Amino acid sequence: MQPPLLSQKGARFTESVIRGMSVEARKYGAVNLAQGKPDFAAPQLIKDAACEAIQADNNQYEITWGSQPLREAIAEHAGWHLGLKVDPDTEITVVCGATEAMLVAMLSLINPGDEVILTEPFYENYWPDCVIAGATPRFVRLNPPDWTFDPDQLAAAFNERTKAILICNPNNPTGTVLPREQLQLVADLCQKWNVIALTDEIYEHILYDGHKHLALATFDGMHDRTVTISGMSKTYAVTGWRIGTMMAAPKLTHAFRQMHDYVSIGAAAPLQQAGAVAYRMPRSYYAGLAADYQERRDRVCNALEEIGFGLVKPQGAYYVMADFSAFVPGEPDDVAFAQHLVRDVGVAVVPGSSFFNHKPLGRRFVRFCFAKKDDTLEEGMKRLRTLRVMV
Ligand code: GLN
């Protein structure tokens, strides 16, 4: 017998379901409402800045932890947007997307046997992050229809092995925006159990109906035990640029910068130059972004409800988890339903179970992404209107 070629960790992964659905969408000519990537243009100002940077020969490595002008712009933005005072010299690391940020944080913090609390459903990368870093995930449920956690269940997940809790806020895939009381509870538990909070705040500007984004790092006692993760992807519609940000106290930042150096050295230099322009966009840009997304959310959610899906409108981020059980006579099967949608109806979505550790919890849901042009959404909804109860 040949010894297995793959490492034990490598053998545990399967293909990203989200990316797999994008492949299916291309194969069947379906409207891609699966992967969370805008199909509309990024702001002209930042595209020009990126082109200028390349023309000016900004083509070599930047300093590993991010260019000085970009870190200064990130600190300014965090100041007015989050009310978070961060030192660009000692508390910011620029990495290749929020994805690298989360991995670098875990690799820097986790020892074998450490537990990391995840809320479930969760963005699909977090479980592989735990596997790579050697953490044991512990799940706390977000309960439908409004996708909130039960405070007692959250408290019960903490113990002496807990090293970190991962909070995605605004939440992918549920769209929940955590109110002050719930964040306070997280803050209290982190301090009680000496736990680090890893906050994925990549959707920080995509908020609806007057919901406010609160950064856990600004809560009393949390500055030194919170790793605030975000990036340019969603705020500036540049998911392919891979510019992620980590803000943390100097001791943590020092460790993250070293880890990041060995993982990827640095994020793309010319795009960092454009990033320094992006983070200084006028505040009206961010208000416009949220207003545009709110229109998309309303259009898509109203159409989905009319067609027969069950949902609670998201408070933030650009996804909606929709209950499709009205379309199937027996036990719902999200994977079969998503396959039917992409092949026969021409719309790609993500099967709900891919966001759950306990798969049965996701069986009646599919996730729609509405970060798309009006025409794309229009065509998607037109196709969905042909949906009939499956027999
Ligand atoms: N964050 C995006 C999503 O949730 C993209 C993820 C990905 O490409 N795997 O859809």
Side-chain angles (χ1 to χ4, degrees):
M1 264 257 296
Q2 293 275 338
L5 293 172
L6 294 176
S7 71
Q8 285 168 4
K9 283 177 185 171
R12 288 180 72 182
F13 299 142
T14 49
E15 193 198 353
S16 147
V17 179
I18 297 176
R19 215 161 352 272
M21 288 311 297
S22 278
V23 173
E24 292 274 287
R26 255 197 307 276
K27 189 160 133 200
Y28 293 101
V31 177
N32 188 352
L33 304 183
Q35 196 171 12
K37 54 175 185 178
D39 69 349
F40 45 83
Q44 193 60 42
L45 191 70
I46 72 164
K47 292 196 291 187
D48 288 344
C51 293
E52 277 163 29
I54 291 177
Q55 293 299 351
D57 275 322
N58 181 353
N59 298 318
Q60 313 310 326
Y61 299 125
E62 253 306 343
I63 184 77
T64 299
W65 49 86
S67 78
Q68 184 77 23
L70 175 55
R71 281 180 286 110
E72 281 168 6
I74 291 166
E76 251 175 54
H77 170 268
W80 68 259
H81 174 50
L82 305 175
L84 185 62
K85 215 176 133 357
V86 273
D87 180 347
D89 292 330
T90 58
E91 296 184 313
I92 296 179
T93 312
V94 176
V95 297
C96 300
T99 298
E100 189 199 334
M102 190 57 75
L103 191 58
V104 158
M106 284 211 201
L107 287 171
S108 306
L109 292 167
I110 300 301
N111 285 312
D114 286 348
E115 290 186 3
V116 173
I117 298 173
L118 304 181
T119 54
E120 177 181 39
F122 54 87
Y123 170 50
E124 64 170 14
N125 277 38
Y126 302 154
W127 182 82
D129 285 340
C130 289
V131 171
I132 295 170
T136 305
R138 183 175 274 270
F139 301 95
V140 174
R141 284 185 192 168
L142 301 175
N143 298 305
D146 54 354
W147 304 107
T148 48
F149 59 74
D150 167 2
D152 293 335
Q153 281 179 12
L154 182 74
F158 282 77
N159 62 56
E160 55 291 338
R161 291 181 303 280
T162 312
K163 186 63 181 280
I165 178 168
L166 199 165
I167 298 286
C168 179
N169 183 43
N171 190 272
N172 174 10
T174 67
T176 317
V177 174
L178 289 177
R180 181 171 294 282
E181 317 80 72
Q182 297 205 352
L183 284 166
Q184 187 60 57
L185 184 65
V186 175
D188 292 345
L189 288 164
C190 285
Q191 288 171 79
K192 176 174 173 196
W193 292 97
N194 190 25
V195 162
I196 302 270
L198 308 172
T199 61
D200 181 346
E201 305 184 23
I202 193 79
Y203 302 96
E204 61 189 313
H205 280 288
I206 304 177
L207 299 161
Y208 310 122
D209 308 325
H211 282 279
K212 295 267 177 292
H213 176 67
L214 300 173
L216 192 61
T218 60
F219 282 60
D220 274 353
M222 290 307 287
H223 181 270
D224 288 357
R225 60 171 69 251
T226 303
V227 184
T228 306
I229 292 173
S230 191
M232 291 181 64
S233 292
K234 319 288 179 178
T235 303
Y236 307 106
V238 288
T239 59
W241 283 23
R242 316 309 303 130
I243 303 284
T245 60
M246 311 177 72
M247 297 189 277
K251 266 198 192 136
L252 290 176
T253 294
H254 181 70
F256 298 157
R257 287 177 174 186
Q258 288 178 349
M259 187 63 76
H260 158 65
D261 198 356
Y262 298 120
V263 170
S264 70
I265 300 186
L271 304 183
Q272 293 193 44
Q273 193 171 321
V277 173
Y279 280 96
R280 292 206 170 96
M281 297 271 278
R283 295 189 194 187
S284 55
Y285 169 75
Y286 302 96
L289 179 85
D292 288 350
Y293 269 116
Q294 181 153 328
E295 265 184 51
R296 293 183 188 107
R297 177 202 67 164
D298 289 341
R299 192 171 325 128
V300 166
C301 290
N302 294 342
L304 289 176
E305 280 187 310
E306 219 180 275
I307 292 167
F309 289 91
L311 57 89
V312 170
K313 279 187 178 178
Q315 302 166 326
Y318 53 46
Y319 309 99
V320 58
M321 287 286 259
D323 182 331
F324 64 85
S325 44
F327 294 101
V328 291
E331 276 291 291
D333 177 339
D334 60 319
V335 176
F337 186 73
Q339 263 162 12
H340 170 58
L341 282 191
V342 72
R343 289 176 192 176
D344 309 322
V345 180
V347 176
V349 296
V350 182
S353 63
S354 58
F355 302 100
F356 287 88
N357 178 57
H358 185 58
K359 302 295 177 196
L361 293 173
R363 287 282 174 240
R364 46 195 182 92
F365 297 101
V366 288
R367 188 194 77 171
F368 287 87
C369 168
F370 50 84
K372 307 291 167 184
K373 291 193 280 244
D374 288 356
D375 289 355
T376 312
L377 296 176
E378 195 69 36
E379 181 60 30
M381 295 308 123
K382 193 175 116 197
R383 293 181 184 196
L384 285 170
R385 285 200 176 87
T386 65
L387 246 182
R388 296 287 169 267
V389 174
M390 291 163 83
V391 279

